[in-house]
Amino acid sequence: MVTLTRVILPSLLLLLLLLLLAPPLYHHLTLHFNTPSNSDYKTKLAGKRVLLCGIGYEVGEQLAYQLATHGAKLAIFYRADGRQKTLLNLQKTFELTDDVIQIIQPLMVARTDTKAMEIKETAVKLGSPQTEIYPFNFGNTTTAHVVVDTAVSLLGGLDYVILNHADIPRGLFLHSLKLQNQDFLHRTFSVNVYSYIEIALRALPHLEKTSGHMFVSSSVLGEVPEPGLSVFSSTKHALTGFFTSLQLELQERRSSVGLTVGRLGVMKSTELRALLDVPEFLMGDILECAVGIMNSIVKRQRSFVYPVVHTHFAGLLWAI
């Protein structure tokens, strides 16, 4: 009995701890010590044509700057559909009249477009030979093909596609009639899932021509649920399921197109930080995440996990 409690149990606990720590430590070391050099990035990215969707949650913006630094040509599309939703929320919350909304709307549009132009100007200064940026309503899936068609027309083809846009509805589902509304659910799934699928399918023939690569931003919430984020979590579950299955289909048909599915956790200074109770030392760095995404598409990885420790342990705790 003494041998069991003093020797065997501690040994088993140590072994279990090593098994739990091995995956995140491996990914962490890979991210930091197996990163291509600047010359490798230049070779892989200089002059390459990149379609980037979504710059609103900082990671996308930093990713645009990283790609620009290494000479990529960029066609960037950012969400315009969020403006109308924000206006409706303001009108409902503060009981604003239509006259007041008419005053606020152009100011909101001007602010968003000004930020977009700042991103474009910065990308060009950093070294991008061509950067185009446009607003787009990702909630309208019947016109999602326009994103790809426009990017191909502007850039002359596609080498990389990065899908990073998202709508993050929040609130307890059972307490919110808004979240339960079928039109609201459909609109959220249109932005977070259906538009991804439509853009990916439209882009595949162009990526086949160039042996290109696609990156899809999913989330740790696509595997681990969180109260108050049920709708967002469900869209990420759908996204992860669809695109990991698509990876297998591409492999079976021996496609030259690569596909990375990203599982992103909580970053410092992003909107999700205020929604999830995560210690700061487990949060990821936005710039490091952007570099990791760029690294994953250059190396044509099947998956990208960041921040690794939080993401792995969140999955572990949910499994337990």
Side-chain angles (χ1 to χ4, degrees), residues 259-296:
L259 171 59
T260 302
V261 178
R263 292 161 53 209
L264 307 184
V266 181
M267 310 292 164
K268 300 172 184 176
S269 304
T270 59
E271 190 172 350
L272 278 178
R273 177 178 182 173
L275 303 175
L276 298 174
D277 186 18
V278 178
E280 186 164 343
F281 74 91
L282 290 179
M283 296 181 183
D285 178 76
I286 292 171
L287 178 57
E288 189 175 69
C289 181
V291 172
I293 292 174
M294 184 172 66
N295 181 31
S296 73

Side-chain angles (χ1 to χ4, degrees), residues 29 51 64 72 78 83 105 112 134 136 140 144 166 175 211-212 263 266 270 279 301 304:
L29 292 173
L51 166 59
Y78 62 95
R83 299 170 179 166
Q105 186 169 19
T112 306
Y134 295 97
F136 187 77
N140 186 354
H175 294 175
S211 297
R263 292 161 53 209
V266 181
T270 59
Q301 296 173 193
F304 172 69

Side-chain angles (χ1 to χ4, degrees), residues 161-310:
V161 173
I162 301 171
L163 302 178
N164 183 60
H165 56 283
D167 184 16
I168 307 180
R170 59 195 64 81
L172 295 174
F173 186 78
L174 296 179
H175 294 175
S176 173
L177 294 177
K178 172 189 171 183
L179 294 177
Q180 297 172 29
N181 181 275
Q182 292 299 309
D183 291 337
F184 177 84
L185 288 171
H186 180 77
R187 184 169 63 251
T188 304
F189 269 82
S190 294
V191 174
N192 290 1
V193 182
Y194 304 147
S195 67
Y196 274 65
I197 295 173
E198 289 297 322
I199 293 171
L201 293 178
R202 191 76 170 193
L204 274 176
H206 300 285
L207 294 175
E208 292 276 5
K209 296 176 183 177
T210 60
S211 297
H213 195 84
M214 187 183 308
F215 181 94
V216 174
S217 288
S218 190
S219 169
V220 62
L221 292 174
E223 300 177 11
V224 182
E226 180 71 23
L229 290 166
S230 56
V231 176
F232 178 70
S233 179
S234 64
T235 64
K236 291 303 182 180
H237 272 79
L239 205 62
T240 299
F242 178 84
F243 280 98
T244 50
S245 298
L246 186 62
Q247 281 180 328
L248 297 177
E249 291 194 27
L250 291 172
Q251 182 178 338
E252 287 181 358
R253 64 186 281 186
R254 300 185 183 277
S255 172
S256 62
V257 178
L259 171 59
T260 302
V261 178
R263 292 161 53 209
L264 307 184
V266 181
M267 310 292 164
K268 300 172 184 176
S269 304
T270 59
E271 190 172 350
L272 278 178
R273 177 178 182 173
L275 303 175
L276 298 174
D277 186 18
V278 178
E280 186 164 343
F281 74 91
L282 290 179
M283 296 181 183
D285 178 76
I286 292 171
L287 178 57
E288 189 175 69
C289 181
V291 172
I293 292 174
M294 184 172 66
N295 181 31
S296 73
I297 64 175
V298 167
K299 293 171 60 181
R300 299 174 70 89
Q301 296 173 193
R302 290 179 60 84
S303 64
F304 172 69
V305 179
Y306 186 86
V308 288
V309 176
H310 168 241

